[in-house]
Amino acid sequence: MTDADVPSPDEPAEPTPRNPLIEALIASSYGVTDDPLSGSNPGVRVPVENLYDLLAHLRSEPSLAFNCLLSHTAVDRPADGTIELLYVLQSLSTGQRLLVTCPVNRDNASAPTVCGLWPIAEWQEREVFDLFGVTYEKHPDLRRVFLDDDWRGYPLRKDYQDDFMLTPDEPKQ
Amino acid sequence: MTAPIRTLDDRIRPSDTPDSPLDTQEYFINMGPQHPATHGVLRLMLKLDGETIREVIPVLGYIHRGIEKMGEAMTYRQFVHLTDRIDYLSALVNNWVVARGVEVATGTETNDRIEYIRTIFAEIERIQSHMLWWGVLGMDLGAFTPFLYGFRDRETLTDIFEETIGCRLTMNYIQPGGVMHDLHPNFVKRTKAALAYSKSKLHEYEELLSGNVILQERTRDVGILSAEDAVALGVTGPPLRASGVAYDLRKVEPYGVYDRVDFRTAVGSVGDCWDRYWVRVEEMRQSIHIVEQLIDNIPEGKTMLMKPAKKIVIPEGVYYNQMETARGILGMVLVSDGTSDKPYRIHLRSPNFNNLWALDAMSRGGRLGDLVANVSSLDLVVPDIDR
């Protein structure tokens, strides 16, 4: 592993020349765009139609070898009507890290499962299903993981309400 | 490359591989939620054929507190005070991952004194966490003495925390922009004495437990996790290194002052419980070695660079940063909308949630009695799984 491959997380986010990995992905056929908001980590955005193909490419291409799905989570953006799925990929062999963001429709949130690529995704996707209500096509065991099976609503959505939750005060300007 | 996908139906359907020529039948049994060997409220549904484990299905959520949701209603400084409740044996690293996330996002530089103090405390905490694990592993496998020894020796380290920080377990010390207050005047002297003590005790540990034939029999070739499985299942920390993957964030992406100290990464070869045991015992030695190199050279300087009253507003974006706790990689996804002093979303990639699912791969086909050794060798902290 060379030092040049490892993105240094201590560097502040400053306009640096674009990462060659991102250049290559944008040039590929997956409809990838650069994610300018991904902080000091390289990040891309991809439409949900190409999500599985892109992730399979990132996983299987020997020169990329993103063999570890560190984290999968979601961000609710009601203003855009989307839920952004976020995949944090790490290659333990090259040391590269990549954030893949994929917006899905908020009312009918659905994405293909990636359990076949990274088995840990099965449970990370269950967590996102539990807290955001995103369904994963062909997921083997899509049940709630933290909350009760009869729980109503998805707590990490911004508009979630229930009878016993404490709502924070409105911010004072 | 694709991995086989097994549904819940596949998991609970009777399998056609009987354990013995006797006419045995498969049955389910619950281990937990209240079980002394799970160290918390974790339920494992076991599909058994006689004493052979066919499936382990973890059931979680008994202590889910919604820390990520709570974080959305708090400022960054306030959120630090929740992080000690996730993995209570790595409280300071949990503090640090939030602090560093905010510092990277706002472009705040810290000074050497702060980074030295943070690194030293993180390593002392790793030692005390491994000491507790060592004692508990002994107790899980039927040896009660290590439990008492582990807790006794851990005491000297928690005393150091208490003197400077004021807490012994759920510590809040590392803040965005620095640490809360300066070191206690006794800190250096006391830490050196505690390290010398711990060093001599590690030798005692080896004689008491590592060389014990019962421990060896119960851990060697038990719960083997291959390197491929470990990586695919998102396992990190000592279990990953025990499977032969030398991946330690302190080496690969150094933070703090890890790039200025000399230490070695302990790596196993088989990936069984013994390797996981050995890796952690070796890590204690390496951590002592790291602190010894740093403790005499703490530079002078300020210990807090951000005014506590200052409102921290992070530019819009998604920020990910990660650190190596005693159990694996703790990552934090921090999403800011750029206007509020509160996070728009905070996600913690907890090492225990991801390590837990390797239990099935490790235990399948093994014996029920070995499951306790497997759980113990993963060193799970249940509040960190449930968050």
Side-chain angles (χ1 to χ4, degrees):
Chain A
M1 193 180 303
T2 60
D3 288 344
D5 289 339
V6 183
S8 165
D10 290 331
E11 280 176 14
E14 56 186 29
T16 44
R18 230 166 22 190
N19 189 311
L21 165 68
I22 295 186
E23 293 287 1
L25 289 176
I26 291 172
S28 66
S29 57
Y30 300 108
V32 170
T33 52
D34 187 17
D35 188 353
L37 295 178
S38 61
S40 52
N41 296 295
V44 293
R45 295 178 80 87
V46 64
V48 67
E49 307 86 72
N50 298 339
L51 174 69
Y52 186 85
D53 292 342
L54 173 73
L55 291 177
H57 171 70
L58 292 170
R59 167 78 182 84
S60 313
E61 170 65 37
S63 63
L64 302 172
F66 284 100
N67 51 3
C68 185
L69 177 63
L70 272 180
S71 186
H72 169 49
T73 185
V75 184
D76 187 20
R77 306 258 190 208
D80 306 341
T82 58
I83 289 179
E84 284 177 355
L85 304 178
L86 178 69
Y87 298 81
V88 182
L89 310 181
Q90 175 96 37
S91 169
L92 302 192
S93 44
T94 68
Q96 252 185 343
R97 183 157 60 244
L98 182 69
L99 309 189
V100 178
T101 308
C102 171
V104 293
N105 189 340
R106 198 167 177 276
D107 303 321
N108 180 23
S110 176
T113 179
V114 293
C115 303
L117 303 172
W118 299 277
I120 185 64
E122 178 179 340
W123 299 286
Q124 295 179 349
E125 286 171 354
R126 270 179 72 184
E127 185 186 332
V128 175
F129 167 73
D130 189 1
L131 304 175
F132 285 93
V134 177
T135 53
Y136 291 89
E137 294 148 23
K138 299 192 182 152
H139 190 284
D141 181 17
L142 201 60
R143 290 176 294 135
R144 286 190 183 270
V145 67
F146 292 138
L147 303 176
D148 287 343
D149 287 339
D150 56 356
W151 193 277
R152 270 187 286 175
Y154 302 104
L156 280 181
R157 288 197 181 204
K158 290 285 176 186
D159 53 3
Y160 174 79
Q161 286 288 334
D162 65 37
D163 295 339
F164 39 85
M165 73 187 281
L166 301 169
T167 30
D169 297 334
E170 287 300 311
K172 296 183 189 81
Q173 290 302 319
Chain B
M1 113 117 228
T2 51
I5 296 179
R6 293 177 320 130
T7 64
L8 187 62
D9 271 356
D10 296 338
R11 284 181 183 155
I12 58 178
R13 191 183 306 138
S15 48
D16 45 6
T17 48
D19 185 40
S20 72
L22 301 173
D23 185 18
T24 56
Q25 206 175 19
E26 287 180 336
Y27 59 102
F28 282 87
I29 192 165
N30 276 319
M31 179 172 163
Q34 302 290 342
H35 188 282
T38 57
H39 309 300
V41 205
L42 173 68
R43 175 173 153 214
L44 302 172
M45 280 172 65
L46 310 176
K47 184 162 100 173
L48 298 172
D49 178 5
E51 264 198 74
T52 306
I53 295 173
R54 294 275 174 241
E55 294 289 342
V56 180
I57 306 174
V59 182
L60 328 176
Y62 290 92
I63 43 172
H64 176 65
R65 294 151 293 174
I67 281 183
E68 291 174 8
K69 182 80 177 172
M70 279 193 255
E72 292 174 10
M74 292 182 177
T75 64
Y76 300 104
R77 277 204 190 85
Q78 289 169 334
F79 185 68
V80 169
H81 298 274
L82 272 185
T83 55
D84 57 311
R85 308 280 162 174
I86 46 172
D87 177 353
Y88 47 77
L89 288 171
S90 307
L92 289 170
V93 185
N94 300 347
N95 293 174
W96 194 359
V97 83
V98 178
R100 181 155 160 268
V102 172
E103 283 159 11
V104 170
T106 55
T108 311
E109 295 275 340
T110 55
N111 63 26
D112 274 1
R113 184 175 179 82
I114 293 171
E115 294 300 322
Y116 266 73
I117 293 175
R118 289 174 173 182
T119 311
I120 290 172
F121 269 125
E123 286 310 307
I124 296 178
E125 197 171 39
R126 190 182 312 274
I127 303 169
Q128 64 93 17
S129 168
H130 282 349
M131 275 182 174
L132 190 144
W133 155 83
W134 178 84
V136 169
L137 180 123
M139 193 176 67
D140 284 345
L141 298 184
F144 196 72
T145 315
F147 183 69
L148 301 174
Y149 278 34
F151 266 80
R152 179 195 67 191
D153 301 338
R154 196 176 152 259
E155 196 71 13
T156 58
L157 301 173
T158 46
D159 283 347
I160 296 174
F161 293 136
E162 191 179 10
E163 208 168 47
T164 292
I165 301 172
C167 307
R168 300 165 61 85
L169 187 72
T170 51
M171 290 169 279
N172 296 297
Y173 181 59
I174 298 175
Q175 285 273 313
V179 292
M180 264 190 192
H181 39 76
D182 210 345
L183 295 171
H184 191 275
N186 287 343
F187 177 76
V188 172
K189 198 177 85 193
R190 208 158 173 183
T191 305
K192 279 185 184 167
L195 289 184
Y197 175 80
S198 305
K199 229 175 180 176
S200 66
K201 292 299 163 193
L202 279 181
H203 181 65
E204 198 177 309
Y205 290 4
E206 298 278 20
E207 291 193 333
L208 182 69
L209 196 60
S210 309
N212 184 310
V213 67
I214 300 174
L215 180 98
Q216 298 250 349
E217 288 285 322
R218 289 204 59 184
T219 54
R220 277 202 195 272
D221 294 328
V222 166
I224 297 178
L225 184 68
S226 69
E228 295 78 36
D229 280 357
V231 173
L233 286 164
V235 173
T236 50
L240 177 69
R241 294 192 280 277
S243 293
V245 183
Y247 195 80
D248 187 333
L249 283 182
R250 295 175 294 168
K251 280 276 187 211
V252 182
E253 297 172 11
Y255 52 92
V257 289
Y258 287 114
D259 50 350
R260 299 184 212 172
V261 290
D262 164 62
F263 66 102
R264 284 181 294 172
T265 307
V267 181
S269 51
V270 183
D272 55 1
C273 289
W274 171 255
D275 276 352
R276 290 188 279 276
Y277 174 89
W278 182 85
V279 162
R280 286 203 185 86
V281 172
E282 185 57 30
E283 274 188 10
M284 280 195 256
R285 264 196 209 99
Q286 296 300 330
S287 292
I288 292 175
H289 184 49
I290 292 174
V291 181
E292 278 175 346
Q293 293 171 62
L294 297 174
I295 192 73
D296 281 326
N297 309 320
I298 305 175
E300 292 300 314
K302 284 182 160 181
T303 52
M304 176 51 95
L305 303 175
M306 262 186 204
K307 285 192 183 121
K310 193 184 150 217
K311 209 168 151 182
I312 305 173
V313 181
I314 290 180
E316 185 181 5
V318 178
Y319 303 90
Y320 179 79
N321 88 103
Q322 54 184 8
M323 282 186 188
E324 188 82 28
T325 75
R327 276 160 203 79
I329 294 179
L330 173 73
M332 184 187 65
V333 178
L334 196 160
V335 183
S336 170
D337 58 5
T339 54
S340 154
D341 61 341
K342 292 171 184 164
Y344 185 77
R345 162 118 174 85
I346 259 187
H347 172 71
L348 293 157
R349 183 256 182 230
S350 74
N352 292 293
F353 179 83
N354 292 277
N355 286 1
L356 166 70
W357 308 99
L359 199 55
D360 184 43
M362 275 159 46
S363 309
R364 217 181 303 140
R367 299 287 171 172
L368 180 58
D370 295 337
L371 182 65
V372 175
N374 293 343
V375 174
S376 206
S377 74
L378 276 180
D379 192 14
L380 298 171
V381 168
V382 181
D384 192 40
I385 298 175
D386 281 356
R387 276 163 284 145

